[in-house]
Amino acid sequence: MPMFDAATTIEATLRSALGQSHRELEIVVVDDGSRDAGAKIVEAIAAQDPRLRLLRQDNAGVAAARNAALAASSGEFVAYLDADDLWAPDKLALQLAALRAAPDAALAYAWFRRIDGQDRILPPSPHPFVEGRVLHRHLAWNFIANGSALLVRGNVARRISFDPDLRSGCEDYLHQLRIALDHPFACVPQFLVGYRRSPGSLSASRRTMELAHLAMFDRIGPLLPASARPVLARRRAEMHARLARDALRRARFGESARRCAAALRADPVEALRNTGAAGLTRLAAGTGRLAPGPAFAEADPTVADGPWVTRQAAGYLRRLQHYDDHMPS
């Protein structure tokens, strides 16, 4: 568990981990150069529960902190938990059962609910069900979308690790894609993670995350099979187009033009789809947020909190599934 200035959330996060129905746990918190009282909170809880350990390092980023925790752990399975997220009590038990039922799978993921600062659910919550070989579909659409939703076989997690150069995000997405190159995924179809959306969180800045995606694409690109390269080109065009729209919104017209040109070079069709009339109308679109729901801990993890459908075209996903189904074992 990487931690940086998370004093306001770390206790609730640790209580959700220590409260798992699967009791055999080794929890490693890596304090990544925090400036607040988070480390003292962790030490106080660790004094009461020997399953918890605290490591300290100078600030080196989330990926480096995750790698330090991996190196310090010894479990057969590894789960990642951000210092402001929550787990439902049966999260690990259900994922362990899923991986034991699918011995070829290296990763099991669960669904998440977005939560606010008071732990209230921010509906609707996505609930995609994608299993087996998933590389092409996961590259086209990050259907997991939350690093705290995973359980990974320890030998695979430690072999692949995290790229410490990705300090602005997407280190978890790259980790998942590298696993997907060679291994199937399993899904636990329940809402077992509370994903906190706070103004200071890394994922709160869209521009930062779009730039992080482009940096991550540079790293995964050379590893991809030929069948996945058009998918990567489409995603590059999508990110450049989003950055073009953001620059236009901020009246950065030169930057917007450069991003449009980059999108066109990557995938002209996707670029036009995102920067043409349909894409530009998103500048005026509202967010359409629903009112907050009940507290995460009070919600039934088997029940959806509202209607949800993926924005991905069904025909496109079927074509990508065909490529996934025919990947070498």
Side-chain angles (χ1 to χ4, degrees), residues 99 102 104-109 130-134 138 143-144 150 175-177 179-181 183-187:
L99 286 180
D104 292 337
L107 179 154
Y109 70 96
V130 185
E131 287 195 309
R133 300 303 295 271
V134 303
H138 200 28
F143 56 82
I144 295 177
L150 313 180
H175 185 71
Q176 296 162 29
L177 287 169
I179 294 173
L181 285 167
H183 303 281
F185 285 13
C187 177

Side-chain angles (χ1 to χ4, degrees), residues 294-328:
F296 174 74
E298 297 172 359
D300 184 337
T302 67
V303 177
D305 49 52
W308 173 85
V309 292
T310 176
R311 296 180 181 178
Q312 303 296 317
Y316 183 50
L317 290 179
R318 283 194 297 269
R319 186 162 76 251
L320 297 182
Q321 183 175 354
H322 172 80
Y323 288 129
D324 284 333
D325 291 345
H326 290 82
M327 287 191 68

